[in-house]
Each structure stands twice: as C-alpha cells, then as structure tokens.
Amino acid sequence: MNDRTLVFSSLDPEARKARRNLRMLGALAAGAAIATVYLMSSAPVFAASSSSDLCKKYFQSHAYNKAAMNCAAAAQDGDTGSQAALGWMYLHGKGLPKNDNEAARWINAAADDGNIAAAALLGGMYLKGEAVAQDPEQAAKWLGKAAEAGHKGAQVALGTLYVDTSPSNELAEASAGSTAGSSGEPSGPILAEPRSVSQAAAAPDPEKAVKWYKKAAKNGSPAGQAALGEAYRVGMGVDQDDVAAYMWYTLAADQGSQAAADARALVAERMKPKQIAKAEAKAREWKSDNSDKMRLQTSSANN
C-alpha cells in the first residue's frame, strides 16, 4: 500500500494514473478481466467533534504523528471515519507502531458500524491476507457489502471473485485502499501483490462477474471499463463482441489506461473499419451522456 493515500474522500476515485495500475492480463482459460481495484472511501458519517476534525485534517496532510492522537480519541467516541483512519495507520505503521491486531480491530469496527469504505478495505485485507488470515469467504462478504452500496473498487473486486481461472493464472491486482471520510482525494494508488482467484469463495460465475464489471464501468470506473472490454473481447459471461470491447477499452484508455489502449489495438486488428467507426461513435455518445462521470475519474487520475 502507499503512504500517500488519503483515506478521507466522499468520492470513489480509483486511480491516479490508470496506466500505472492496470495490467492487461490477456485471455485466460475462462476469459480474462482487468481488475486493478481501488478500494477508496465512500462518504461515512463523522462525529461532530474537534478530535474527528483534527484527525481528518492531519491525516489528509499526511501528518500522521499529529493525526494519531486525535484519531484515537475520535475512534473511541465511535466516529467510523476516525476508526478507519486509525486502523489504516496501524496497518502501515504511519504515526503509530505497525500493529496488525489493532489495524484489524479498528477497521472491522468501522465496517461493522456501516462505513462502506472500511468494508471495502476489510474485504481487500481478507483478499490479500493482510493483518488478517486470507479468507475468500470473508473477502466476498465485505466486498459484497461495499459493492452493493455502490463502491466502484469493490464492484470490480467482487466481479473478479466470480471468474473461473486455473490455479496458475493471476487474474487481478487487488488493491485494498484507504477508508474513511468526506472530502479528500487520493494522491497515489495502492497496489497489492497479484493473486490467483481460483480459490474464490464465490462460485465461478462469469455472468455475475460481468454484472459487477458493468456496474463499475457505467459508474465511470476505468478499471471496470477495461475489465468489461476484456469480457467482451473474449466472450466471458457475454456474447463475444468486438465493437463493445473496443468501445469500453476506448473509455478506459481515455482515462489513462495504457493496458486498455494496448488491448484496443489488438482487437482492432481483427475489426473492419466500419466496426471501428461504430465503436468510436458509441464511445463518444457514452462520454457525452456521462461526461460528469468521466470528468470525475479523469480529474481524480490527474491529481
């Protein structure tokens, strides 16, 4: 994980630079999906206290030593954003000694109290086995809660859990990002080690994978758009469709994904000029109808 990541954000930005964080994985035995996942924060409720305000202020400015005392006080008062921030600091040894038990304790407390961002982070921790024992069932549980609530990164990660792969194939780079608050934006990505999802708790179900990729893609997630493009390219959970693949790759590439741009070039080799023109028109139409979502993602990626 990256110490530059802010945990306080009312948005769900997924990448600073998608080209750094998406890896084209190619066609796997059951179809591939790009699923670099950014489990950033939704908008939890903060307690109205000076401690929570200072926790947020210092955490956003990376002044972790100053944040620690205030976050601890607000966390004890039940502020879920501060609980998540405190857990994050324990997880990474920022402002506090690294302590996996305390990290899991506070992040779990925030997730239990309904902090969707903390649920996404906790799911990523179980996915990786970081500060907790690796547990696909728990990963699916917490990612599911966050995904159902609209968390884009969790939607892509949950989709990944529904993909059937062989043990030798690494489907995704899951990133368990930071959690809490209400106004900051991330200044860097958080990447986990690649892992196989062949032992995922969710029964292999490409159609369900595509369901979650579509939700993330339509919410403006470049990772979701790239994953959905890959699904269409190889016919994973959907009918194979080069035009749709090219369209979604284009939308992801326009937000900085070099991997999606490379995949688009591959699929273009087998397309006719009329098909490419159709796909480009569809991408322009989607961008026109969803310019707010694209602006949000692009702005986040360039910060």
Side-chain angles (χ1 to χ4, degrees):
M1 293 191 179
N2 190 309
D3 64 339
R4 297 181 60 205
T5 301
L6 298 180
V7 300
F8 296 96
S9 175
S10 61
L11 307 176
D12 188 16
E14 297 180 53
R16 186 185 183 199
K17 287 289 182 182
R19 70 171 55 239
R20 297 178 185 172
N21 309 313
L22 281 178
R23 178 178 299 169
M24 180 53 57
L25 300 173
L28 303 179
I34 298 173
T36 301
V37 182
Y38 295 86
L39 303 179
M40 292 296 177
S41 67
S42 304
V45 176
F46 282 87
S49 74
S50 58
S51 292
S52 64
D53 290 340
L54 290 172
C55 169
K56 177 179 174 181
K57 172 185 174 181
Y58 289 129
F59 194 90
Q60 284 183 325
S61 62
H62 318 298
Y64 301 118
N65 289 333
K66 293 181 179 180
M69 182 180 298
N70 291 287
C71 291
Q76 291 287 355
D77 288 339
D79 176 39
T80 62
S82 297
Q83 289 172 344
L86 185 63
W88 187 94
M89 288 188 287
Y90 274 123
L91 190 64
H92 300 290
K94 300 295 182 181
L96 293 164
K98 181 174 172 59
N99 187 319
D100 286 350
N101 288 335
E102 287 297 293
R105 171 194 172 193
W106 288 110
I107 292 168
N108 200 97
D112 276 340
D113 285 344
N115 186 317
I116 298 305
L121 174 57
L122 187 58
M125 290 163 61
Y126 277 115
L127 194 67
K128 295 173 56 186
E130 182 175 21
V132 293
Q134 192 172 40
D135 188 331
E137 291 185 1
Q138 287 295 313
K141 169 187 171 181
W142 290 107
L143 290 174
K145 287 179 180 291
E148 290 285 359
H151 196 289
K152 301 180 187 70
Q155 288 170 345
V156 182
L158 189 61
T160 301
L161 289 176
Y162 282 105
V163 177
D164 183 14
T165 69
S166 67
S168 63
N169 285 322
E170 293 172 342
L171 179 64
E173 288 182 341
S175 80
S178 215
T179 53
S182 63
S183 66
E185 299 222 351
S187 57
I190 310 174
L191 295 180
E193 292 300 315
R195 64 178 295 273
S196 170
V197 296
S198 60
Q199 302 301 316
D205 192 332
E207 290 182 359
K208 285 187 178 180
V210 170
K211 166 191 169 182
W212 290 110
Y213 292 150
K214 282 183 176 180
K215 285 181 179 293
K218 291 178 179 180
N219 282 332
S221 160
Q225 290 167 349
L228 185 57
E230 186 73 353
Y232 277 114
R233 182 175 76 87
V234 301
M236 183 197 76
V238 290
D239 292 335
Q240 197 280 330
D241 187 335
D242 286 343
V243 171
Y246 192 106
M247 168 197 164
W248 288 109
Y249 283 145
T250 295
L251 293 169
D254 285 351
Q255 297 193 78
S257 171
Q258 184 61 46
D262 292 343
R264 179 179 59 186
L266 289 175
V267 78
E269 292 179 358
R270 67 190 188 199
M271 296 173 69
K272 297 178 180 180
K274 287 185 178 180
Q275 291 178 304
I276 293 175
K278 181 179 180 181
E280 290 175 343
K282 284 180 173 290
R284 287 194 299 270
E285 181 180 1
W286 195 94
K287 286 176 67 175
S288 177
D289 292 342
N290 299 274
S291 59
D292 55 335
K293 296 175 183 176
M294 295 292 283
R295 281 198 303 270
L296 171 61
Q297 293 296 332
T298 302
S299 173
S300 298
N302 289 334
N303 280 344

